[in-house]
Amino acid sequence: MPKKARDGNDTSGLLHYLYGPGKRDEHVDPHLVAAWDPDIEDPVRSPDMTLTDLALILDAPVHALPGRKPSKHVYHVAVRNPPEDRTLTDAEWARVARELMHAAGIAPHGDDQGCRWVAVRHADDHIHIVATRARQDGRQPDVSWDIVKMHDVARRFEVEFGLRRLTHGDRTARKWSRTGEAEKAARRGLPETARETLQRAVREAAAAATSDSDFFARLGAAGLRVQQRIAPDGNITGYSVALPGDRDGSQQPVWFSGSRLAADLSLPRVRERWQTGSAARPIAPAEAWAMAEVKVRQAAAQLGAGGLHQGAGDVAALGDLVVVAAVVAPRLVRQQIREAAWEFERASRAPAARSLEGQARALYRESAQVLSKSVAAAGRSDTAAALGFLLALVTAVEASRRWHEAQEHRAQAHAAGQAGRLLREAVEVTAGAAAAREYKPRQTKAAIARARTGQRLAAAGQQPMAGVVQQAVPAHARAVLADPAWPALRARLTQIERDGEDPVDALATVAARRELHSADSVAEVLTWRLDGWRKERGPTAAATGKSPSTTSAGGAGHSAPASKTRAPAPARRAPGDEQRKGPRRTR
């Protein structure tokens, strides 16, 4: 993925940075992989060449220009592969650099008077190309439409090298934070940039809102500063939001319009969500989960049935539903669903005009409203009641993935697949927690004696975990032990043993909760279920012989009385929960 930086005027400074340690020592083995002249020596491998020398050689055509020199003559392009791609060799990166410079008009093939350039590699997954915007014959290069042409070259190399195939720019990609925004967040000790926090908070408000006034009220309740753009006739034509305390160098608030946050967060696009349909009435949370499950299953069967434009509207409404689900989901699986909503964001923006009509879109929208009004207003979420809805949501996201594939929307199909995997994890964690809630420990004489003395079932690692699998799930034992996810499952079983529980009982109980034959990886599914088991029961449930409270996972019930001899451990937030939370909301 080529990304063009702003033109600069300090060739030497840029080279010293690329060959240096980086801002956080992230530059490893910086070296030259290609240049306009194959005989140019690498400054780190030749005693006769320094970085200053290389900068002077690159800038020589600029200094030779007659008349006034250009103020911004440094041309800089970074080319990066995603983490899942294989590592390219230096020779392959060299080919990429030469073809990109040819396509951009910097150094056309066979033109010995083209601009001078070098390609520096200081990491496995990317290179930096530095050129000077002055041809050696004294003319200026023609770099019109350079980034578009370089992207065409990149798409060809993806096929040739067997890399993940990206799509041409379809204006559906997420608007990423700028480097300055990330550096500002790091200086302030924040886990994410202001843009990312605002994106999530505004998307949550838009997904649940039913009118202009409701939308702006939700933004204010989320703790955001809001500015409305009002036309002379009194109509609201736009809005901007800012985080309290986020200011620029002149101490003015840093405002972001909705369209700067995301293409589908401009006010006209936000209003599309409530132009059709009626508001849902609040009902009991358990009934809301069940109603939403039925509607989502119906919608999944109808997604895209009315054609391309209707399908685009359907996936947009499904994206809002996943966002709302992340807000109201039980804390036990909230992190997985938040990440699923983040992944599905690209899938919710199809590169086509959207139809605001359609049965699937209406059903998704109704589901989002009933969950937002009923479950969120109740202040708690029942994990068991949410399980059926989560299963339906997995089906809906999988239907959207197949629809995107049929339309050849590769980026959107990939995003839907990533979101589906996270939702499947949430389902299995929920199933494991439900199994733990209903589990009744066997009250054998040995278990009672251990409970009285505080003795554990076995020292950690005493039981061979392969034997545990063979006892608990004999029909799947061979596949589990050969699965790449087996080490993770073994670690969970060992931890359960350390917690004072019988790993055979635990594994057998979660395995019996739901069928396993359709799983792509039985070991991975069992690992997720054991995660839910441990979150529900806690490390001392077996030792005390008491069943844990369902409220620990956000369900209904009353907590068991605390032990007089040992204070209960503080509730622990799911990993990453703090990092992805938005501004504080009030109800």
Side-chain angles (χ1 to χ4, degrees):
M1 177 60 72
K3 183 178 180 180
K4 183 180 174 183
R6 293 179 180 177
D7 291 342
N9 56 13
D10 186 0
T11 306
S12 178
L14 179 56
L15 289 176
H16 276 84
Y17 168 73
L18 296 178
Y19 273 90
K23 295 182 178 179
R24 299 174 182 83
D25 297 324
E26 71 273 21
H27 295 177
V28 179
D29 186 26
H31 59 280
L32 212 64
V33 295
W36 84 99
D37 184 347
D39 295 326
I40 288 294
E41 297 177 330
D42 191 343
V44 299
R45 297 177 178 175
S46 172
D48 300 324
M49 177 71 74
T50 67
L51 290 173
T52 302
D53 294 335
L54 180 59
L56 289 173
I57 294 172
L58 285 167
D59 284 343
V62 178
H63 297 310
L65 289 173
R68 187 176 180 181
K69 308 298 186 291
S71 58
K72 303 286 186 181
H73 67 274
V74 180
Y75 187 90
H76 179 200
V77 176
V79 192
R80 185 181 301 271
N81 282 346
E84 59 267 27
D85 278 349
R86 69 175 177 87
T87 301
L88 301 185
T89 65
D90 281 355
E92 288 173 324
W93 276 122
R95 278 194 61 205
V96 171
R98 284 191 289 268
E99 291 299 327
L100 291 179
M101 290 296 92
H102 166 73
I106 293 292
H109 293 328
D111 184 356
D112 58 1
Q113 296 299 307
C115 300
R116 297 182 176 184
W117 60 272
V118 293
V120 179
R121 182 180 190 180
H122 55 213
D124 287 341
D125 63 349
H126 69 279
I127 60 172
H128 291 263
I129 306 176
V130 181
T132 48
R133 296 186 59 165
R135 290 172 50 85
Q136 297 179 75
D137 57 9
R139 295 185 293 115
Q140 289 291 311
D142 179 9
V143 294
S144 57
W145 299 97
D146 52 347
I147 193 64
V148 174
K149 296 173 183 176
M150 285 190 286
H151 274 273
D152 288 338
V153 171
R155 303 295 81 78
R156 295 200 300 268
F157 275 118
E158 287 164 2
V159 176
E160 179 181 345
F161 291 163
L163 307 176
R164 172 185 165 192
R165 296 181 63 187
L166 304 179
T167 58
H168 290 277
D170 58 10
R171 299 184 182 274
T172 64
R174 177 181 289 109
K175 295 193 176 183
W176 298 97
S177 299
R178 296 178 179 176
T179 302
E181 295 170 1
E183 293 175 348
K184 182 179 181 180
R187 288 195 305 269
R188 298 177 64 189
L190 299 176
E192 63 183 8
T193 65
R195 182 191 296 267
E196 292 168 327
T197 301
L198 292 169
Q199 278 178 341
R200 185 177 60 257
V202 173
R203 189 170 298 281
E204 290 175 358
T210 57
S211 64
D212 279 18
S213 58
D214 186 23
F215 173 61
F216 289 117
R218 288 176 182 272
L219 292 181
L224 307 186
R225 303 185 65 177
V226 183
Q227 276 187 343
Q228 297 179 3
R229 188 167 62 251
I230 302 177
D233 60 2
N235 290 323
I236 302 174
T237 60
Y239 73 98
S240 297
V241 290
L243 279 182
D246 184 30
R247 298 181 178 276
D248 57 19
S250 59
Q251 295 304 304
Q252 297 299 313
V254 180
W255 295 98
F256 290 85
S257 65
S259 58
R260 281 186 62 198
L261 294 175
D264 56 343
L265 292 181
S266 65
L267 187 58
R269 293 287 301 273
V270 168
R271 282 172 168 160
E272 289 179 357
R273 291 163 165 87
W274 55 76
Q275 285 182 3
T276 58
S278 57
R281 61 179 180 84
I283 56 178
E287 185 182 350
W289 287 117
M291 180 184 294
E293 176 187 353
V294 172
K295 291 180 180 293
V296 170
R297 290 192 184 279
Q298 292 174 353
Q302 302 173 18
L303 190 149
L308 177 61
H309 300 318
Q310 183 173 309
D314 292 345
V315 294
L318 177 56
D320 283 345
L321 176 59
V322 181
V323 170
V324 170
V327 174
V328 302
R331 183 169 294 280
L332 184 75
V333 292
R334 190 170 299 167
Q335 181 59 27
Q336 287 93 339
I337 303 179
R338 279 179 174 173
E339 292 176 0
W342 189 87
E343 290 287 353
F344 194 78
E345 182 186 329
R346 181 75 182 271
S348 69
R349 293 192 291 265
R354 298 160 308 287
S355 170
L356 303 185
E357 304 294 336
Q359 188 65 24
R361 184 183 189 278
L363 290 168
Y364 286 141
R365 181 67 182 161
E366 291 169 9
S367 301
Q369 289 184 12
V370 73
L371 290 178
S372 177
K373 289 182 176 294
S374 304
V375 180
R380 61 179 177 85
S381 295
D382 189 338
T383 307
L387 179 57
F389 167 77
L390 292 178
L391 284 166
L393 198 58
V394 170
T395 302
V397 169
E398 177 61 20
S400 74
R401 184 189 65 80
R402 292 194 300 269
W403 181 80
H404 279 304
E405 285 183 342
Q407 307 300 324
E408 297 186 353
H409 301 159
R410 288 194 300 270
Q412 286 81 359
H414 176 78
Q418 295 290 97
R421 185 181 187 282
L422 288 162
L423 288 172
R424 286 192 293 273
E425 178 181 352
V427 165
E428 301 302 344
V429 170
T430 304
R437 187 181 303 112
E438 299 172 5
Y439 174 66
K440 301 297 183 183
R442 294 179 299 177
Q443 294 299 312
T444 63
K445 292 182 179 180
I448 295 172
R450 280 191 294 268
R452 289 175 178 172
T453 61
Q455 179 184 355
R456 292 183 176 179
L457 282 169
Q462 181 173 324
Q463 298 189 67
M465 293 305 157
V468 168
V469 173
Q470 290 167 350
Q471 292 181 63
V473 285
H476 301 281
R478 178 175 296 181
V480 167
L481 297 177
D483 196 301
W486 161 239
L489 176 59
R490 181 175 56 202
R492 300 302 192 282
L493 292 170
T494 301
Q495 188 59 55
I496 285 175
E497 189 180 45
R498 288 197 186 101
D499 292 343
E501 298 200 70
D502 186 349
V504 177
D505 264 6
L507 186 60
T509 302
V510 299
R513 186 68 188 181
R514 295 184 63 242
E515 59 86 20
L516 291 167
H517 296 285
S518 62
D520 294 332
S521 169
V522 175
E524 187 173 51
V525 167
L526 291 174
T527 300
W528 291 337
R529 292 186 191 177
L530 289 177
D531 285 341
W533 172 281
R534 292 194 64 238
K535 289 178 180 179
E536 177 66 27
R537 287 183 62 77
T540 60
T544 61
K546 296 178 181 179
S547 297
S549 163
T550 55
T551 56
S552 63
H558 302 283
S559 59
S563 169
K564 294 182 180 180
T565 59
R566 181 177 180 181
R572 181 166 180 168
R573 226 181 255 277
D577 196 35
E578 298 87 356
Q579 295 182 9
R580 289 190 174 273
K581 69 181 180 181
R584 180 174 297 177
R585 294 183 291 274
T586 58
R587 291 188 175 95

